[in-house]
Amino acid sequence: MGEVLVITSGKGGVGKTTTAANLGTGFALTGKKVALIDADIGLRNLDVVMGLENRIVYDLVDVVEGNCRLKQALIRDKRYETLYLLPAAQTRDKNAVNPEQMKKLCEELARDFDYVIIDCPAGIEQGFRNAIAGATEAIIVTTPEVSAVRDADRIIGLLESEGKSNPKLIINRIRPHMVKKGDMMDIDDIIDILAIDLLGVIPEDEYIVISTNRGEPAVTHPSSLASTAYKNIVRRLCGENVPLMSMEVRTSFLSKVKKFLKL
Amino acid sequence: MMLDLIMKLFGKESSGSKNIAKERLRLVLVHDRVNVSPQFMETLKDDMIKVISNYMEINERDMEVNLTTSKSSVALVANIPVNRMKRGPMAMK
Ligand SMILES: Nc1ncnc2c1ncn2[C@@H]1O[C@H](COP(=O)(O)OP(=O)(O)OP(=O)(O)O)[C@@H](O)[C@H]1O
Ligand SMILES: [Mg+2]
């Protein structure tokens, strides 16, 4: 049985889809068999981030409603043979699917794939409930902002009440120079507040925009910072012990003084 | 004080906006975490009653437990009418 990971956040626009695309592609790069599910019904995005928007025939709702077989709806990636996408329906809404159906779908996929990665919609409504229903592990994406961290805290509580404990955290869009100036919360601040395990940190990186424009996830581009950060996360999820990369932990002289003074 | 001095020495402000962010987040999460579950306050109340009853007899019906917020802090404020104090081993503990 493969693992079913849901990428969620509460707040919109923090990088769930970007993360789902990069982790999925990152696993595929290591030869793992991966199914990406776009659970953002009505606002499908993962297809364009993956550059697969022209290949869609059937979607998630078609599968659930039995209009096609699961295999027919899975789109194979352009570059990686072991990577597949199950796109969201664009003309339906979240209520077209229920948590039970999602659970069944995830179980079916987990039989054939090493990793099933679900891109969750923003919010805490039905779409969120659908997306987490079949997940065996939750990954929470946040940015170093008050509202995003607040929503992450809410999501951690909701996941817990659904019996999904120990979610892992990805902090996205860290800007080291702002952290250094004391104008952005750093990794320790956020971990301290949310009290969950850190899976990795993704820097703010222009290459994310470029790769999204091209429909090629950043991990396929070896020299970008975000690419390395996402690859490190993939390795951690595979059980490797990978330290945070240097830009991620670069601490200012000030924070060293603070640490020294135990403040 | 000492830290402020050191920070000034190195040309850093002691309150970058991240400290404001952290503080606001801390306060807002106190309320969020309480409000997430409607039972939170009730459960807390029940537990308080259990503990306090070891020491005194209280009027549970008129007991009030609330969170109050001032500008920079949140306090748990309890107003618990006491009917009588207990005597004996539990109260001596
Ligand atoms: N590390 C980063 N550096 C630069 N830009 C980023 C980074 N992460 C995400 N972005 C950009 O932020 C925007 C939102 O990202 P994304 O679509 O992945 O968020 P989302 O959480 O899926 O949003 P939604 O809640 O709407 O589904 C995109 O334009 C993306 O390119
Ligand atoms: Mg998205």
Side-chain angles (χ1 to χ4, degrees), chain B residues 5-91:
Chain B
L5 203 85
I6 291 171
M7 291 202 217
K8 287 216 178 87
L9 267 175
F10 293 101
K12 303 269 184 184
E13 288 284 325
S14 65
S15 56
S17 62
K18 89 147 189 192
N19 290 327
I20 303 170
K22 262 167 68 179
E23 192 53 21
R24 292 175 59 216
L25 200 46
R26 189 179 67 79
L27 289 177
V28 85
L29 288 184
V30 169
H31 287 280
D32 283 3
R33 287 182 186 175
V34 169
N35 292 333
V36 155
S37 145
Q39 298 100 42
F40 186 100
M41 272 303 187
E42 286 311 308
T43 315
L44 172 63
K45 238 170 151 175
D46 289 345
D47 279 350
M48 287 171 77
I49 291 169
K50 253 183 251 157
V51 174
I52 294 168
S53 299
N54 290 332
Y55 302 86
M56 54 195 88
E57 215 174 83
I58 58 176
N59 179 347
E60 293 173 23
R61 197 170 316 131
D62 293 342
M63 168 176 178
E64 270 176 42
V65 180
N66 290 306
L67 284 180
T68 61
T69 315
S70 70
K71 209 169 152 212
S72 63
S73 66
V74 181
L76 181 69
V77 178
N79 189 344
I80 308 169
V82 179
N83 291 341
R84 84 180 75 199
M85 301 304 284
K86 286 195 177 171
R87 188 191 316 119
M90 280 313 275

Side-chain angles (χ1 to χ4, degrees), chain A residues 94-260:
Chain A
K94 311 173 196 322
N95 303 315
V97 177
N98 67 45
E100 274 311 308
Q101 294 168 322
M102 284 300 288
K103 235 182 192 163
K104 239 188 83 207
L105 177 70
C106 291
E107 276 164 19
E108 202 177 333
L109 284 168
R111 261 179 252 133
D112 283 341
F113 291 87
D114 299 315
Y115 289 94
V116 178
I117 299 177
I118 304 165
D119 181 18
C120 180
I124 54 173
E125 313 298 327
Q126 172 87 2
F128 165 75
R129 308 218 165 267
N130 284 339
I132 66 166
T136 53
E137 210 177 310
I139 295 174
I140 297 177
V141 182
T142 192
T143 59
E145 286 169 69
V146 176
S147 53
V149 177
R150 179 193 198 177
D151 289 1
D153 189 76
R154 183 83 204 281
I155 290 292
I156 294 166
L158 287 171
L159 285 167
E160 212 161 73
S161 66
E162 295 283 327
K164 301 190 190 292
S165 43
N166 298 324
K168 305 228 161 58
L169 186 70
I170 293 178
I171 304 173
N172 189 21
R173 309 193 81 151
I174 281 265
R175 296 186 217 188
H177 69 280
M178 290 193 76
V179 172
K180 214 169 175 176
K181 276 197 305 190
D183 273 328
M184 182 174 269
M185 285 189 282
D186 63 28
I187 303 162
D188 292 343
D189 296 331
I190 296 169
I191 292 299
D192 185 43
I193 287 164
L194 294 178
I196 63 172
D197 292 340
L198 180 68
L199 186 56
V201 181
I202 315 294
E204 174 80 27
D205 187 345
E206 282 181 8
Y207 195 75
I208 293 284
V209 180
I210 297 168
S211 67
T212 307
N213 287 343
R214 292 193 177 137
E216 296 167 357
V219 281
T220 60
H221 189 270
S223 67
S224 77
L225 276 176
S227 164
T228 310
Y230 275 121
K231 278 187 197 144
N232 285 348
I233 290 176
V234 167
R235 288 168 63 196
R236 286 178 200 125
L237 285 169
C238 291
E240 252 184 87
N241 194 345
V242 187
L244 292 178
M245 59 196 220
S246 62
M247 71 75 43
E248 293 173 299
V249 283
R250 188 183 297 154
T251 44
S252 64
F253 180 69
L254 177 69
S255 61
K256 279 181 194 144
V257 171
K258 274 194 188 168
K259 267 212 183 100
F260 179 72

